[in-house]
Amino acid sequence: MKLDPIFTVKNKKLYTISDNSEVDTATLKRIDILWSTVELDEEIYNEEFLAQLRDQLKAMEETNTFAVLVPVADKPLDTPEQEEAFINTYNHTARRVKDCTSVAGFELIPQLKDKQAFMDTLAKKHAQYVYFTKAENPLSDDIVLY
């Protein structure tokens, strides 16, 4: 099941496609998702946690609230193999919440060296997502959009 995009990015600003209105990204709920909570062992995922996440996201649909899923690298992310496992974990997460229209997209974390691989992998089946990153100024809460 592929969802149509709800949001688009123009000049690093988020817009709703339906009426071309600008979205205040501060209204998006950030949901941290720890890597170690999802990937219990190599390619073994915590389906109970992912089902609860899906329930939370489905409940948000009823209030027309949107979320940014924020991967949290709480395990080493130093080697290409670790990056691949990280990307696969969040690709699996995206598959489990694929029918949740409340997901605006994912945040790209600074520790991830190959951000393009992350986006390309998820885009194969989840082209509706927008990708966010924190502004380079650590004192800023601004979000930059990809």
Side-chain angles (χ1 to χ4, degrees):
M1 168 185 200
K2 290 191 177 185
L3 296 177
D4 291 327
I6 295 174
F7 302 104
T8 189
V9 177
K10 299 178 202 168
N11 298 320
K12 296 190 177 187
K13 293 187 179 195
L14 188 66
Y15 292 86
T16 304
I17 292 173
S18 63
D19 63 3
N20 202 35
S21 62
E22 188 174 344
V23 177
D24 178 2
T25 56
T27 65
L28 302 174
K29 180 177 179 170
R30 298 179 76 240
I31 300 175
D32 290 348
I33 302 172
L34 276 65
W35 182 9
S36 64
T37 298
V38 178
E39 187 186 50
L40 301 175
D41 204 352
E42 188 174 327
E43 295 188 37
I44 297 174
Y45 303 109
N46 185 341
E47 299 300 339
E48 183 178 332
F49 170 81
L50 293 172
Q52 291 172 351
L53 174 63
R54 183 184 177 281
D55 290 345
Q56 178 183 3
L57 294 167
K58 288 307 249 180
M60 289 175 66
E61 289 176 9
E62 295 175 18
T63 60
N64 204 32
T65 307
F66 295 93
V68 176
L69 303 183
V70 182
V72 176
D74 61 342
K75 301 193 280 186
L77 190 55
D78 303 321
T79 68
E81 295 78 19
Q82 290 166 338
E83 279 224 351
E84 182 179 2
F86 178 84
I87 291 170
N88 289 341
T89 296
Y90 291 98
N91 190 43
H92 185 80
T93 300
R95 279 197 301 267
R96 291 296 174 253
V97 300
K98 68 182 177 200
D99 65 335
C100 298
T101 58
S102 60
V103 179
F106 279 79
E107 186 169 305
L108 300 171
I109 62 170
Q111 303 95 309
L112 186 62
K113 292 175 189 74
D114 196 347
K115 292 171 178 54
Q116 192 62 52
F118 185 94
M119 292 186 289
D120 290 347
T121 300
L122 270 64
K124 289 176 187 169
K125 298 235 174 160
H126 312 284
Q128 77 274 18
Y129 292 148
V130 173
Y131 296 92
F132 303 80
T133 187
K134 287 285 194 174
E136 290 183 24
N137 176 355
L139 299 177
S140 171
D141 284 333
D142 292 340
I143 293 179
V144 178
L145 300 149
Y146 279 78

